Amino acid sequence: EIHEPEEVSVWFREGSSCCQETLARNQRFTETPVNMPGADKETDLSERIESFLSELKRCGSGAGSLRGSAETARETTALLRRITAQARWGNAGELMEIIRKEGRRMTAAQPSETTVGNMIRRVLKIIREEYARSRGSSEETDQQESLHKLLTSGGSSEDNFRQHFTHLKANVIEAINELLTELEGTTDNISMQALEHIHSNEVIMTIGRSRTVEAFLKDAARKRKFHVIVAECAPFCQGHEMATSLCKEDIETTVIPDAAIFAVMSRVNKVIIGTQTVLANGGLRAVNGTHTLALAAKHHSTPLIVCAPMFKLSPQFPNEEDTFHKFVSPHEVLPFTEGEILSKVNAHCPVFDYVPPELITLFISNIGGNAPSYIYRLMSELYHPEDHEL
Amino acid sequence: MAGKAGKQSRPRKAEKDEEEQPLQAVLVADSFNRRFFPISKDQPRALLPLANVSMIDYTLEFLTSTGVQETFVFCCWMSSKIKEHLQKSKWCRPTSPNVVHVITSDLYRSLGDVLRDVDAKALVRSDFLLVYGDVVSNIDVSQALQEHKQRRKMEKNVSVMTMIFKESPPGHKTRCEDDDIIVAMDGKSKRILHYQRAQALKKLHFPMNIFHSGSDEFEIRFDLLDCHISICSPQVAELFTDNFDYQTKNDFVRGLLVNEEILGNQIHMHVTKDGYGARVSNLLMYDTVSSDTIRRWIYPITPEANFADQEGQSCTHSRHNVYREPGVSLGHGSQMEENVLIGRNTVIGANCTISNTVIGANCVIGDNVTLDRAYIWNRVHIANDVKVKQSVICDNVEVKHGVVLNEQCVLAYNVVVGPDITLQEGTVLSMHHPDEEDDEDEDEFLSDDDVGYSKDKTKQKGSCSSYLIMCIDDDIMFPGLALNPDPESDSESEVSEGSHDLGSHPASPELDDVKVFQNEVHGTLQRGLDENISCDNLVLEINSLKYAYNISLKEVMQILIRVVLEFPFQQQGAQISTAQYSSHLLPVSLLKKWAPVFKNYVKRPQDQMDCLASMEEVFLERETHWAALVKVLMSVYQLEILEEEGIMRWFKQSSTTGKSQQLRRNQGLLKFIQWLEEAEESSEGDE
C-alpha cells in the first residue's frame, strides 16, 4: 500500500490549475492521521467518477454532444490522472485493472462517445510503456515488429506487470500530463496546416458544425480569400451556427439545404468535413448527411478532406452494430406538438452516418496528413492491441 | 461532500448557485387516488415498472439531471416498499449527487397534508421543485427556474409558484381528457390569470376581472399539458398551512387566483416546446408514456441508457426500436416487429409476433403468441396460442393456453387465467375482492383526481381463481377514453360553475358567489315563508346579501326570479307535475306574498325585460312545465309586477334559439298574448 502525497504534488506543480486544487487537497491529507488517509480521498474520487458518468449519460440530448469531443477527451484524461494519483494500487497491473474497470463503465455510459474509450486506451498504453521503461527494457515498443512476438506476447506480458516500482506513479502522471498538453494543442496543430490545403478563390464545402473545421477555415482566412458553402445538416441545422460563426471572420459563406449538395458540388473545389469518430478501417462515423456529401464529392471527383485529431481514432470497426448508431428523440423530425398523427407513425432520428474509407481522400490530424489506408498503422502506434477490447 | 461534488460536476451552473442554496425538491410518492386499483393494492404506483424501470426512478433521474441536490420523498401507501426500493437504488449510494430523504407517514391523505408537513418540519430553505412520483420528464427546468428567481427578486414574494406546461394540441395522445385544462394567462408576464380543468365542460366561464388586468396581451390556451412539475417558493408550503382546506394543487391554484387581490400572490407559468413531461396518472397514460419511452421521446432517458444503474439491466438498442436485455432467447420464426423491449432472461417461443410491447424479466412466453401493445411485467408465464392486445399483465401472472385478452384488460398480481377463455374489452382481474377495498379506502382516498368507483361492478367467480371486476364503462380501466363526465370526480368546485347554467348573463366577477348568493336568497325566502317575515324585511335582507356578495342589481333580480320559480321544485322535488307546480306557486301563496319584493326590484321597463328573460330561461330548462309559464305570467301581470307592454315586447323579441321559439308557440301562451292584445285594444277603445 503506497501513499506518497509529497511526491505526487511535485508533478502537480507543473500541471494545470485543476491540479492546484488537488495539490491543496494533498497537503491537507498529509496532516490527517496516517492510518486512514485513503478513505476520504476514495469517496471523493468515486464521486467525481459518478458525476462524470452521469454527465456523459446526459450529454448530447440534441445534436451530437453539448460539448466538443476535445473537451470530453481532456476531461477523461484528467479524470484518469486523478484515478492514477488517488486510487489504491501497488503495481502497474493493479492500476490497469482499475482503469479498465472504470473505463468499461465510462464507455458504457455513452457508447457513441468513442473519445472516452480512446483516451482510456491511450492511458493504458502509457502505463505499459512506463512499466517497460522502469524495467529497463525497450521490448514493449518493438513488440509488434515481429509476427512471432505478436503471437506469443498474449499471456506472458500480463504477469510481468506485477513488479513494484516506486517511481512508476510519478512517471505515469507525468506521461499523462504530456498527453494532456498534446490534447490542448490538437486544434491548433490541425489549423496550422490550413494554408497548405486551402488556396485563394477556392470554393470549399462543409457540412454541419465541427469545431476543428471551423478553426481550420478561420486560420486559412487570415491570409486567403475563399468561399465556403455550408450544408445546413437538418434536422438539427448546426450548419446555421457554423455559417454565423464563419461570417464573423469575414469569410464569404453560403448556407444550402442538404438536398442541394449534389447540385452545388460541381462548383466546389474541396470538401472539408469534421467527424465524430475515425474507425479502424479508415471509415468515418460522422454527422448525418455526410455519406450523401461524400458520394456527391466522389461523383464529381472533388477531394474530400477530413479534419480529425488523433484522439478521434478508434479501434472500433463499423460492423459492431449495437453501439454504432445513436437515435435521439424524434422531436426534431416530427415535433411533439404535431398531435394525433404521433400515435400512428414511428419517427426515428438517427444522428450518425457511416462513410466508407474509399470515399475519403485525406485525413488531416494534429500530426499531419494521412491517407485512409494508413489509419491501421496510426492505430497500432497509439493503442496496444490488447487494449482494443477494454 | 456530495453537494460539493455535484457543484463541481456542473461548472456551468456553479457560478449561479454559489451564493444560493442547493436546489431542493419535494417528491410526492403517492397518488392519493385509486386510478391504478387493483394493481396499486399490491404495489404503490411509484414502484410500478414503466419500460422495466420503476416510475419513481424516472422522476428522480429527472430531478437529478436538472441539478436537484436534495430530495424529500413523501410516501404514505406502502411506504416501506418505496423506502426499501430507494435504499437499494443508486440514489442512496454515498456518491449520489442528489441526497434522497424518505419521509413516511400514514396520515398523509393529500398533497395538502404533505406540504403542511413540509412547512411544519421546515424542510425547504429556498425555492423547490414539486413533483409526483409518477412524473416522467426530460425537461430542462433551469430556464424556468431562473425566470422564477428573477421574478422573485424583482417583486419580493409576489410570485409564489411557476407551473411548467408542455405544448401539445388537443387530440394529442399524451393528453388525457381527465387532465385537460384551460389557462388564461398574461402574454407578457406569463402570469396565470385563470386556471380551470376542462373535463368535458361544454361552457366555460371566465371572470371579467381577468380581462381588466391592465395587460394588453392576453392568451387563453387549451393546448397545454400540465407536466405536474412546479417550481415553488417556500411560501407555498406556508400557504397550505394557512389554508387547511387546500387538498390538491388544483385547490391551491384556484384559491390563490381567487384571493389574488387580497393576498397579492401570483402564479406564473412556463411553456416548453422541447423536452417531454407527462404524469402517468392512469393506465391510458401508462400506455402512452411507455410507448413514448420506447420510441425515444424522452431521450436521453431511454431504455438502453440504464440510468437507474441496475445490474444486468443494460440492454441493446437495434433497428425499429427493439431493445433486448441480456439473456433473452427468441424462438424460431418469432418476430419482434417494432418498439419492443424485452427484459433479461426472458424466453420466447416459436412463431410469436410481438409489436409495441414491453416484457419484463424472467418471463416465459409460449409458441404462436401474438402480443400487441401489451405491458407484461416480471415472471409472467404465457402459454401457447395466447393473444394479447393493449393490456397490462402484472407480476407472476399465469396465462394458460388459448386465452385471448382484448383491449384494455388488466390482470393484476398473481392471477391465473384460462385455458381457452376470451376476456372482453376492459376486463380487470384481481386476487382482491372488489368490496374489501370499498369499505376500507373509499373516504380516505377521495381527493383531487379520484375517478368514481360507484360504477356497476359485477363480480363473478370466473373460471380462474380471481375476482372479475367487469367494467361497464371503460372509464375505470382507461379513464379518458370515455368522454362522459364522472359524477364523483366532479366533486370539485368547478362543477358548481359549470353545471349551473348562467346562460346569457354577463360573466360575473365571482362565479362561486353567484351560486352562494342564490342559495342565500333561497334560504331567506324560505325563512320569510316559515316565520312570516314582512316583505320589507326580506328586501332589506336581500339587499344586504347583495352587498356581501357584490352582486349587481340586475343579477339580484335574475336570481330572485330563478329562486322563486324553482321554489316548488326545491320543496317538492324535481319530479312534480305541472299542475302541482302551478298550484303550489300560484294561488295566493308565494307569488302574491312576495309581490312587494318583486316590485322593489322591477321598476324600469328594462328590468321587466330582464325579468322575463330569466323566467324564460328557467322554463327553457324545464320543458315539461311550459304550461305553467302562462299561469305565472298571468299572475305577475295581475299583481302588476309586469306590464303588458313589457310582456308584448318580450314575446315579439326575435328569439335566438329554436327552443325558445318553440316556447313562444306554446298554446297557452298564445292565448294569453291574444287576451292581452284584446285587453289593450279594448282599453284603447274605451278612451
Side-chain angles (χ1 to χ4, degrees), chain B residues 563-586:
Chain B
V563 168
V564 171
L565 292 182
E566 284 181 350
F567 208 77
F569 296 118
Q570 300 274 355
Q571 299 216 304
Q572 311 286 321
Q575 262 64 50
I576 55 167
S577 71
T578 315
Q580 279 174 310
Y581 175 79
S582 27
S583 70
H584 198 82
L585 185 68
L586 294 175

Short mmCIF file of all heavy atoms in Angstrom, two decimals, chain B residues 563-586:
data_model
loop_
_atom_site.label_atom_id
_atom_site.label_comp_id
_atom_site.label_asym_id
_atom_site.label_seq_id
_atom_site.Cartn_x
_atom_site.Cartn_y
_atom_site.Cartn_z
N VAL B 563 -85.00 31.80 -8.16
CA VAL B 563 -85.24 31.15 -6.87
C VAL B 563 -86.74 30.93 -6.67
O VAL B 563 -87.18 29.85 -6.29
CB VAL B 563 -84.64 31.98 -5.73
CG1 VAL B 563 -85.14 31.47 -4.39
CG2 VAL B 563 -83.14 31.96 -5.78
N VAL B 564 -87.51 31.97 -6.98
CA VAL B 564 -88.95 31.86 -6.73
C VAL B 564 -89.55 30.79 -7.63
O VAL B 564 -90.33 29.95 -7.19
CB VAL B 564 -89.63 33.22 -6.96
CG1 VAL B 564 -91.14 33.06 -6.93
CG2 VAL B 564 -89.18 34.20 -5.90
N LEU B 565 -89.13 30.81 -8.90
CA LEU B 565 -89.72 29.85 -9.82
C LEU B 565 -89.29 28.42 -9.51
O LEU B 565 -90.02 27.48 -9.77
CB LEU B 565 -89.37 30.20 -11.26
CG LEU B 565 -90.01 31.49 -11.79
CD1 LEU B 565 -89.62 31.71 -13.23
CD2 LEU B 565 -91.52 31.46 -11.66
N GLU B 566 -88.12 28.29 -8.98
CA GLU B 566 -87.66 26.94 -8.66
C GLU B 566 -88.07 26.50 -7.27
O GLU B 566 -87.79 25.39 -6.85
CB GLU B 566 -86.13 26.87 -8.81
CG GLU B 566 -85.71 26.82 -10.25
CD GLU B 566 -84.21 26.72 -10.42
OE1 GLU B 566 -83.49 26.88 -9.41
OE2 GLU B 566 -83.79 26.50 -11.56
N PHE B 567 -88.71 27.42 -6.58
CA PHE B 567 -89.07 27.14 -5.19
C PHE B 567 -89.86 25.85 -5.02
O PHE B 567 -89.51 25.01 -4.19
CB PHE B 567 -89.83 28.33 -4.62
CG PHE B 567 -89.68 28.49 -3.15
CD1 PHE B 567 -88.52 29.04 -2.63
CD2 PHE B 567 -90.67 28.08 -2.28
CE1 PHE B 567 -88.36 29.18 -1.27
CE2 PHE B 567 -90.51 28.22 -0.92
CZ PHE B 567 -89.35 28.77 -0.41
N PRO B 568 -90.89 25.66 -5.83
CA PRO B 568 -91.65 24.41 -5.67
C PRO B 568 -90.80 23.17 -5.91
O PRO B 568 -90.98 22.17 -5.23
CB PRO B 568 -92.74 24.53 -6.75
CG PRO B 568 -92.85 25.97 -7.02
CD PRO B 568 -91.49 26.54 -6.83
N PHE B 569 -89.86 23.28 -6.86
CA PHE B 569 -89.01 22.12 -7.13
C PHE B 569 -88.16 21.81 -5.92
O PHE B 569 -87.96 20.66 -5.54
CB PHE B 569 -88.08 22.38 -8.31
CG PHE B 569 -88.82 22.57 -9.60
CD1 PHE B 569 -88.74 23.77 -10.28
CD2 PHE B 569 -89.57 21.55 -10.13
CE1 PHE B 569 -89.42 23.94 -11.47
CE2 PHE B 569 -90.25 21.72 -11.32
CZ PHE B 569 -90.18 22.92 -11.99
N GLN B 570 -87.66 22.86 -5.31
CA GLN B 570 -86.80 22.66 -4.15
C GLN B 570 -87.56 21.98 -3.03
O GLN B 570 -87.01 21.17 -2.29
CB GLN B 570 -86.28 24.01 -3.66
CG GLN B 570 -85.47 24.78 -4.67
CD GLN B 570 -84.02 24.37 -4.65
OE1 GLN B 570 -83.63 23.59 -3.81
NE2 GLN B 570 -83.23 24.87 -5.59
N GLN B 571 -88.83 22.36 -2.90
CA GLN B 571 -89.58 21.84 -1.77
C GLN B 571 -90.14 20.46 -2.04
O GLN B 571 -90.15 19.62 -1.16
CB GLN B 571 -90.72 22.80 -1.46
CG GLN B 571 -90.19 24.17 -1.07
CD GLN B 571 -91.03 24.80 -0.01
OE1 GLN B 571 -92.23 24.94 -0.21
NE2 GLN B 571 -90.45 25.15 1.11
N GLN B 572 -90.62 20.28 -3.26
CA GLN B 572 -91.35 19.05 -3.55
C GLN B 572 -90.52 18.06 -4.36
O GLN B 572 -91.01 17.01 -4.69
CB GLN B 572 -92.62 19.39 -4.34
CG GLN B 572 -93.45 20.48 -3.74
CD GLN B 572 -94.20 20.03 -2.50
OE1 GLN B 572 -94.70 18.91 -2.46
NE2 GLN B 572 -94.26 20.87 -1.47
N GLY B 573 -89.36 18.44 -4.74
CA GLY B 573 -88.57 17.57 -5.61
C GLY B 573 -88.85 17.91 -7.06
O GLY B 573 -89.88 18.50 -7.40
N ALA B 574 -87.92 17.53 -7.90
CA ALA B 574 -87.97 17.97 -9.28
C ALA B 574 -89.03 17.24 -10.10
O ALA B 574 -89.32 17.60 -11.23
CB ALA B 574 -86.62 17.79 -9.92
N GLN B 575 -89.64 16.18 -9.52
CA GLN B 575 -90.50 15.34 -10.34
C GLN B 575 -91.97 15.77 -10.33
O GLN B 575 -92.81 15.14 -10.95
CB GLN B 575 -90.40 13.88 -9.87
CG GLN B 575 -89.43 13.05 -10.70
CD GLN B 575 -88.02 13.57 -10.57
OE1 GLN B 575 -87.53 13.77 -9.49
NE2 GLN B 575 -87.35 13.79 -11.70
N ILE B 576 -92.28 16.84 -9.64
CA ILE B 576 -93.70 17.18 -9.51
C ILE B 576 -94.31 17.57 -10.84
O ILE B 576 -93.62 18.07 -11.73
CB ILE B 576 -93.92 18.31 -8.48
CG1 ILE B 576 -93.08 19.55 -8.84
CG2 ILE B 576 -93.62 17.84 -7.09
CD1 ILE B 576 -93.47 20.77 -8.09
N SER B 577 -95.58 17.35 -10.95
CA SER B 577 -96.25 17.62 -12.23
C SER B 577 -96.52 19.10 -12.38
O SER B 577 -96.41 19.88 -11.44
CB SER B 577 -97.57 16.84 -12.28
OG SER B 577 -98.46 17.46 -11.37
N THR B 578 -96.91 19.47 -13.60
CA THR B 578 -97.17 20.88 -13.89
C THR B 578 -98.30 21.41 -13.01
O THR B 578 -98.21 22.52 -12.50
CB THR B 578 -97.56 21.03 -15.36
OG1 THR B 578 -96.66 20.25 -16.12
CG2 THR B 578 -97.51 22.46 -15.79
N ALA B 579 -99.31 20.59 -12.87
CA ALA B 579 -100.46 21.05 -12.10
C ALA B 579 -100.06 21.33 -10.66
O ALA B 579 -100.36 22.39 -10.10
CB ALA B 579 -101.56 19.99 -12.15
N GLN B 580 -99.30 20.37 -10.11
CA GLN B 580 -98.84 20.57 -8.73
C GLN B 580 -97.98 21.82 -8.62
O GLN B 580 -98.09 22.58 -7.68
CB GLN B 580 -98.01 19.36 -8.29
CG GLN B 580 -98.84 18.19 -7.85
CD GLN B 580 -97.94 17.00 -7.57
OE1 GLN B 580 -97.10 16.66 -8.40
NE2 GLN B 580 -98.10 16.39 -6.42
N TYR B 581 -97.15 21.97 -9.64
CA TYR B 581 -96.22 23.09 -9.64
C TYR B 581 -96.98 24.40 -9.57
O TYR B 581 -96.74 25.24 -8.71
CB TYR B 581 -95.36 23.02 -10.90
CG TYR B 581 -94.44 24.21 -11.08
CD1 TYR B 581 -93.25 24.29 -10.34
CD2 TYR B 581 -94.75 25.23 -11.97
CE1 TYR B 581 -92.41 25.36 -10.49
CE2 TYR B 581 -93.91 26.31 -12.12
CZ TYR B 581 -92.74 26.37 -11.39
OH TYR B 581 -91.90 27.43 -11.55
N SER B 582 -97.92 24.54 -10.50
CA SER B 582 -98.61 25.82 -10.54
C SER B 582 -99.49 26.01 -9.31
O SER B 582 -99.60 27.10 -8.79
CB SER B 582 -99.41 25.98 -11.83
OG SER B 582 -99.78 24.74 -12.33
N SER B 583 -100.05 24.90 -8.84
CA SER B 583 -100.90 25.07 -7.66
C SER B 583 -100.07 25.48 -6.46
O SER B 583 -100.52 26.18 -5.58
CB SER B 583 -101.64 23.76 -7.37
OG SER B 583 -100.72 22.80 -6.91
N HIS B 584 -98.85 25.01 -6.47
CA HIS B 584 -98.00 25.34 -5.33
C HIS B 584 -97.50 26.78 -5.40
O HIS B 584 -97.35 27.46 -4.39
CB HIS B 584 -96.80 24.39 -5.32
CG HIS B 584 -96.12 24.36 -3.99
ND1 HIS B 584 -96.58 23.60 -2.95
CD2 HIS B 584 -95.04 25.01 -3.53
CE1 HIS B 584 -95.82 23.78 -1.91
NE2 HIS B 584 -94.86 24.63 -2.23
N LEU B 585 -97.24 27.20 -6.62
CA LEU B 585 -96.61 28.51 -6.77
C LEU B 585 -97.65 29.63 -6.77
O LEU B 585 -97.42 30.70 -6.21
CB LEU B 585 -95.82 28.52 -8.09
CG LEU B 585 -94.99 29.76 -8.36
CD1 LEU B 585 -93.85 29.84 -7.37
CD2 LEU B 585 -94.46 29.72 -9.77
N LEU B 586 -98.79 29.36 -7.42
CA LEU B 586 -99.63 30.48 -7.77
C LEU B 586 -100.61 30.97 -6.69
O LEU B 586 -100.42 32.06 -6.16
CB LEU B 586 -100.37 30.16 -9.07
CG LEU B 586 -99.42 30.04 -10.24
CD1 LEU B 586 -100.18 29.60 -11.46
CD2 LEU B 586 -98.70 31.34 -10.47
#
